[in-house]
Amino acid sequence: MSKANTVGVVIGRFQTHELHEGHLHLINYVRDRHEKVLILVGDRDARPTPADPYPFSIRKDVLSQPYPDVLIERQLDSSISNQHWSSSVDAKVAAIANGSGAVLYGSRDSFIPYYTGVYPVAEVPELPNCSATRVRHEAATQNVNDPMWRKGWLAALHHQYAVTDPTVDMAVHTADWDLVLMGRRSSVSPLRFFGGFVNPEDASMEEAAKRELSEEAVGALIGEPRYVGSFRINDRRYQRSQYGIMTTFFAVEYKGGVVMPGDDMGVVEWCRLDEETLDKVALEHQKLFRELLVYKNKQSQ
């Protein structure tokens, strides 16, 4: 087969630890038809996920080993629009094609429906039973007794983004601000506010705070949460790590109900909302208690 004097452009994510038969089929299909081949590797500027586990650098190495003569570039996703992403693709292709023309190739469920640029596109028939999702699942569920698997686990942790996890905390107070409802993990542990991590299903920080309160202070009837502030929490679970916690702190008025401890809260009790209670509060929540006192004073002015 004679090769066209144009650029064949392969666009894909290639999110596997090695190229599977479908990847090889796609790239070889394009190499057989074009003198020059460009691979644009789709990437997202975010922390790794099970669906997008590998950074561009690793995927470039995976592609370069069997295809050392192929140009490989990173193609960032666009948070603006398909048109914006397509324009970025066109700019990269134009710089390589240098006026000679190009064809963009993808497989089923690829970029093709979303591309709005100027170059022609072609869909390459897929090989049956070639699934990157299946390859990732099998790689992630290997025997943990394999030392190489354990080394890969460690490498993955080292390549994770340094992140701050979002949490919420809720202070339930009486209408006159004299008392605040707090909890203890056990009868001898320090006082703490009700709260926890934000779930993917939570529609807002307020909804997350109300959910956490309903789980830890069962039966409490409350008004609408009011924002007190957001604060970094020195959580002991995050010591010696690159991660952290940032909590969004709310105050809410108690409206009634018989309150019982729930979830991992062993005790709930009403406490004086004053400086004398501060020493009884868990160290990581003392800053929140101080901020609540400031917020209380503002409400009485």
Side-chain angles (χ1 to χ4, degrees):
M1 176 185 295
S2 62
K3 296 183 179 181
N5 188 26
T6 55
V7 178
V9 184
V10 180
I11 302 179
R13 304 195 82 84
F14 304 99
Q15 279 288 7
T16 52
H17 64 289
E18 60 185 7
L19 298 180
H20 61 56
E21 290 184 0
H23 292 148
L24 298 172
H25 170 69
L26 172 61
I27 298 171
N28 291 338
Y29 183 95
V30 177
R31 289 183 80 203
D32 289 343
R33 288 160 174 78
H34 295 270
E35 291 289 344
K36 185 182 294 185
V37 176
L38 167 66
I39 299 178
L40 294 180
V41 180
D43 201 17
R44 49 196 291 277
D45 195 14
R47 64 191 298 186
T49 69
D52 286 291
Y54 299 110
F56 168 70
S57 58
I58 289 179
R59 288 176 287 157
K60 183 177 181 180
D61 286 343
V62 169
L63 287 160
S64 297
Q65 290 177 20
Y67 300 107
D69 58 333
V70 169
L71 182 61
I72 302 167
E73 292 194 9
R74 184 187 189 207
Q75 178 59 51
L76 272 176
D77 296 345
S78 172
S79 59
I80 301 174
S81 66
N82 291 336
Q83 291 77 15
H84 179 262
W85 177 83
S86 300
S87 297
S88 175
V89 168
D90 285 355
K92 284 186 171 66
V93 174
I96 301 301
N98 197 24
S100 63
V103 180
L104 278 51
Y105 291 87
S107 55
R108 183 175 59 85
D109 298 328
S110 67
F111 72 94
I112 292 176
Y114 312 102
Y115 176 69
T116 61
V118 301
Y119 293 100
V121 298
E123 182 177 315
V124 178
E126 286 189 335
L127 292 181
N129 302 318
C130 288
S131 168
T133 301
R134 178 177 55 80
V135 171
R136 288 194 299 271
H137 176 75
E138 291 176 353
T141 54
Q142 289 185 41
N143 188 349
V144 297
N145 293 321
D146 182 353
M148 293 304 296
W149 190 93
R150 295 195 294 267
K151 288 178 68 175
W153 179 284
L154 180 61
L157 292 177
H158 277 283
H159 281 88
Q160 282 192 343
Y161 281 40
V163 297
T164 294
D165 289 323
T167 62
V168 288
D169 283 289
M170 184 85 91
V172 182
H173 62 86
T174 53
D176 58 9
W177 287 90
D178 280 349
L179 301 176
V180 60
L181 184 66
M182 302 191 74
R184 298 181 189 268
R185 300 298 191 205
S186 69
S187 59
V188 296
S189 61
L191 295 166
R192 60 191 313 108
F193 294 105
F194 306 102
F197 289 96
V198 177
N199 287 347
E201 298 81 12
D202 293 326
S204 65
M205 292 297 188
E206 289 82 357
E207 290 301 315
K210 288 191 286 187
R211 174 186 53 75
E212 284 289 340
L213 179 65
S214 69
E215 293 171 358
E216 295 186 341
V218 181
L221 304 178
I222 59 172
E224 283 301 310
R226 288 168 291 173
Y227 176 74
V228 177
S230 60
F231 310 98
R232 185 165 294 279
I233 299 296
N234 185 22
D235 192 293
R236 59 181 176 80
R237 294 170 296 181
Y238 284 71
Q239 292 176 359
R240 298 176 59 202
S241 84
Q242 59 184 336
Y243 309 109
I245 285 180
M246 183 80 73
T247 195
T248 303
F249 190 34
F250 296 96
V252 66
E253 184 178 330
Y254 172 72
K255 297 293 186 180
V258 178
V259 187
M260 300 292 293
D263 200 5
D264 57 352
M265 201 66 73
V267 178
V268 293
E269 62 183 83
W270 287 101
C271 309
R272 299 295 302 178
L273 186 49
D274 56 29
E275 289 283 351
E276 292 183 4
T277 302
L278 180 61
D279 289 340
K280 303 174 185 178
V281 177
L283 289 176
E284 64 268 26
H285 279 194
Q286 287 187 4
K287 179 176 178 61
L288 299 184
F289 197 91
R290 293 190 187 95
E291 294 294 339
L292 185 62
L293 290 175
V294 173
Y295 187 81
K296 169 188 174 179
N297 292 334
K298 289 180 180 178
Q299 307 312 304
S300 60
Q301 291 176 358

